[in-house]
Amino acid sequence: MSSTPVITVDGPSGAGKGTISHLLAEKLGWHFLDSGALYRVTGQACVIEGVSWEDHEAVTRIARHLDVSFTTADTGEILVAYKGRDVSRAIRTEEGGRGASTVAAIPAVRQALLARQREFLQPPGLVADGRDMGTVVFPDAPLKIFLTASAEERARRRFDQLLAKGESVSLPRLLEDIEERDARDSQRKVAPLLPAKDAVVIDSTATPVADVFAAVMREVAAKGLK
Ligand SMILES: Nc1ncnc2c1ncn2[C@@H]1O[C@H](COP(=O)(O)OP(=O)(O)O)[C@@H](O)[C@H]1O
Ligand SMILES: Nc1ccn([C@@H]2O[C@H](COP(=O)(O)OP(=O)(O)O)[C@@H](O)[C@H]2O)c(=O)n1
């Protein structure tokens, strides 16, 4: 196992994982792994290649040879490309989330993406955002955070986020999507969404980002990671 430290941030959609992970990576000067983006690109690659999300063999082949790249734009935005084609926007739609969670339930797809996720562990450290970062991908992480919030609050956050991006969305539909994705992520046989036994669980339903981040930084300090 690598001696490079990793902090895992897991939890359901809209809990604030991306927000907190980015702040943390920036504060510590560490690398960042958006593992959900790998599942989202796999789902999008299926759409591009004309492969059904239900065709386990074909999806697994795509995941094994996934030609994906992450680059940082001048604006600081992370651009995601599949076969050199920018898919950053397409993968962030609700449809993109549905595709990701459908292909993520295929055990061979998860296996195919495992080594690729571990390659992100480079000095001086890594903040890893996902569902199974603390349970499966980095089980030896010295600090594991599990962020959660009520489904209603997470749907409201997603609603505001998509509206700001100019997408037309319905709040009841988003709540349905979130509950459906929670159920699929929690009930799958391999790497289901659940806190690691040694995770610090933080409920952010009524807690602003700054306070959640301060709570996480206290855990970081307590572990001597900064
Ligand atoms: N504690 C919080 N309180 C209010 N809004 C939040 C909080 N954490 C995150 N958000 C907002 O909720 C939305 C979803 O957060 P994000 O970090 O993308 O969640 P996740 O990565 O868990 O899906 C973003 O618009 C973000 O600004
Ligand atoms: N480590 C991970 C990350 C994401 N995923 C899957 O990919 C989907 C999209 O993940 P994401 O982190 O981009 O989604 P949000 O939490 O941002 O909505 C999730 O619903 C999971 O089904 C996973 O199975 N394991």
Side-chain angles (χ1 to χ4, degrees):
M1 258 295 160
S2 161
S3 59
T4 305
V6 53
I7 297 175
T8 58
V9 184
D10 290 306
S13 179
K17 304 178 300 295
T19 306
I20 294 298
S21 300
H22 273 116
L23 289 171
L24 197 52
E26 198 173 318
K27 178 88 179 177
L28 298 173
W30 288 9
H31 299 283
F32 170 63
L33 164 62
D34 178 358
S35 61
L38 290 173
Y39 290 98
R40 285 175 182 268
V41 173
T42 304
Q44 186 62 26
C46 293
V47 174
I48 293 171
E49 307 293 351
V51 160
S52 156
W53 296 331
E54 311 298 335
D55 182 344
H56 291 197
E57 272 185 29
V59 180
T60 303
R61 258 197 308 277
I62 284 184
R64 281 201 188 118
H65 305 286
L66 197 67
D67 178 359
V68 58
S69 63
F70 296 92
T71 50
T72 308
D74 296 342
T75 55
E77 190 194 349
I78 295 175
L79 299 177
V80 187
Y82 170 68
K83 286 187 174 170
R85 165 173 168 180
D86 186 13
V87 293
S88 319
R89 217 183 152 87
I91 62 169
R92 297 291 162 205
T93 60
E94 280 310 289
E95 178 71 359
R98 219 175 0 258
S101 86
T102 306
V103 301
I106 306 170
V109 167
R110 306 199 69 83
Q111 187 60 36
L113 296 178
L114 198 55
R116 198 179 281 246
Q117 294 174 75
R118 290 185 176 145
E119 282 166 11
F120 279 77
L121 184 51
Q122 299 287 341
L126 177 71
V127 179
D129 163 347
R131 298 290 185 290
D132 61 342
M133 297 296 99
T135 49
V136 174
V137 183
F138 301 109
D140 298 329
L143 176 59
K144 301 176 183 178
I145 304 290
F146 190 89
L147 266 185
T148 185
S150 72
E152 289 75 15
E153 169 65 14
R154 291 185 284 119
R156 246 190 319 273
R157 290 176 187 174
R158 219 25 120 213
F159 181 76
D160 293 343
Q161 208 177 22
L162 292 172
L163 217 57
K165 280 200 234 167
E167 282 189 39
S168 73
V169 281
S170 123
L171 186 55
R173 175 74 204 278
L174 277 178
L175 180 57
E176 234 175 73
D177 273 357
I178 279 210
E179 285 176 337
E180 192 187 297
R181 195 132 68 89
D182 282 358
R184 194 160 41 224
D185 289 351
S186 310
Q187 288 162 13
R188 68 180 175 222
K189 291 212 173 62
V190 175
L193 170 65
L194 91 185
K197 285 198 181 66
D198 49 348
V200 178
V201 179
I202 300 177
D203 187 324
S204 76
T205 306
T207 313
V209 171
D211 294 359
V212 176
F213 186 57
V216 170
M217 285 310 293
R218 281 194 293 276
E219 299 295 335
V220 171
K223 295 281 183 184
L225 291 169
K226 78 160 185 106

